[in-house]
Amino acid sequence: MALNKRQETILEIVKEHGPITGENIAEMINLTRATLRPDLAILTMSGYLDAKPRLGYFYKERPTPLPMLEFLEKYRAKDFQSMPIVIHEEISAYDAVCSMFLEDVGTLFVTNKANLLSGVISRKDLLRASIGNNDLHSIPVSVIMTRMPNITVCEKDDSLLDIAQKLITKQIDSLPIVKKQEAGYEVIGRITKTNMTKAFLQIVKPEED
Ligand code: ADP
């Protein structure tokens, strides 16, 4: 919400002198209490100020929630990311299952000898590989993973809006956050549907970090 000049002046006064009565604010800007009443009502109702009987007006430290679109455009992958769990493409599908349990994640990112992203392996990929008596010890993850160049990635400064769109259109649970190198992508983070859910919570409860 855009404030008018007088409302901004009131806000500045309350920031500096609060708690302060309406009477005292009016005195400081040479207006009557009655003239200020609508401005004070607007500032209080829109959450900028708090009013306490007998004490007067306080500046409210709690940030006002941003509208959803503004929030999703302003916040970036780096603001809500998690640690990426990365495995090497030569390890077995069995060991990948163990890593998923140990690290408590649903997706592992796979790298090659140069430590650059070569694939992604999800729970369903591993379940598929385990159907039909396959020996998971003898199958390398590289055989069952989704591989480059079919991996959807994002960068640390991509907006949450871009990320939400990628997750939904590609029907996937997570994206690796990558840094472009000459020969491919270095994996530097991970953003998942859980991170996105945390971001949504923060839109409605900005005070709970
Ligand atoms: P799950 O399969 O456990 O439900 P996903 O929905 O994330 O998990 O994965 C669905 C399929 O998409 C899997 O085959 C997985 O390898 C692939 N996949 C997962 N993440 C990505 C990604 N970032 N880019 C491309 N493919 C992915």
Side-chain angles (χ1 to χ4, degrees):
M1 186 190 80
L3 299 180
N4 68 30
K5 222 167 167 49
R6 192 154 72 200
Q7 289 160 352
E8 275 178 9
T9 310
I10 295 173
L11 212 53
E12 285 310 309
I13 291 175
V14 180
K15 251 190 217 173
E16 200 171 324
H17 302 283
I20 177 169
T21 62
E23 207 69 51
N24 288 343
I25 300 171
E27 253 169 46
M28 291 179 82
I29 44 184
N30 281 328
L31 291 170
T32 66
R33 171 82 177 84
T35 318
L36 284 196
R37 195 161 288 131
D39 291 319
L40 286 168
I42 287 171
L43 289 170
T44 311
M45 281 188 303
S46 50
Y48 288 96
L49 298 181
D50 231 352
K52 296 220 172 112
R54 287 185 302 277
L55 277 173
Y57 293 91
F58 291 81
Y59 181 68
K60 244 181 166 171
E61 287 301 336
R62 188 170 63 83
T64 321
L66 281 181
M68 184 157 340
L69 182 61
E70 212 175 298
F71 184 100
L72 293 177
E73 282 173 337
K74 174 178 166 189
Y75 284 96
R76 316 266 135 199
K78 65 182 180 209
D79 300 319
F80 284 92
Q81 66 181 336
S82 303
M83 286 283 295
I85 306 301
V86 177
I87 56 172
H88 192 264
E89 62 188 12
E90 279 166 14
I91 82 161
S92 69
Y94 183 89
D95 287 339
V97 173
C98 296
S99 296
M100 257 186 203
F101 278 103
L102 284 174
E103 306 287 353
D104 196 16
V105 292
T107 310
L108 301 165
F109 302 125
V110 185
T111 52
N112 59 20
K113 285 200 175 72
N115 285 329
L116 297 171
L117 180 66
S118 61
V120 170
I121 190 144
S122 78
R123 282 175 286 216
K124 226 181 296 149
D125 296 329
L126 288 162
L127 284 174
R128 197 182 299 115
S130 60
I131 292 173
N133 286 334
N134 284 319
D135 176 12
L136 294 187
H137 289 281
S138 64
I139 306 175
V141 282
S142 57
V143 173
I144 56 172
M145 68 189 186
T146 302
R147 44 178 58 251
M148 286 293 279
N150 298 322
I151 306 299
T152 308
V153 300
C154 69
E155 295 189 47
K156 68 181 181 6
D157 286 316
D158 287 356
S159 73
L160 294 188
L161 186 64
D162 287 340
I163 290 162
Q165 266 158 355
K166 282 183 177 171
L167 291 172
I168 293 301
T169 52
K170 304 285 179 175
Q171 300 184 5
I172 49 182
D173 292 349
S174 71
L175 297 180
I177 304 173
V178 299
K179 196 165 157 190
K180 206 159 174 22
Q181 304 292 354
E182 248 169 57
Y185 292 127
E186 180 191 350
V187 181
I188 58 170
R190 166 171 73 105
I191 191 139
T192 66
K193 287 180 176 173
T194 306
N195 300 118
M196 295 302 290
T197 309
K198 282 189 184 146
F200 278 108
L201 256 191
Q202 202 161 325
I203 296 176
V204 289
K205 291 186 168 175
E207 71 275 22
E208 288 173 22
D209 272 345

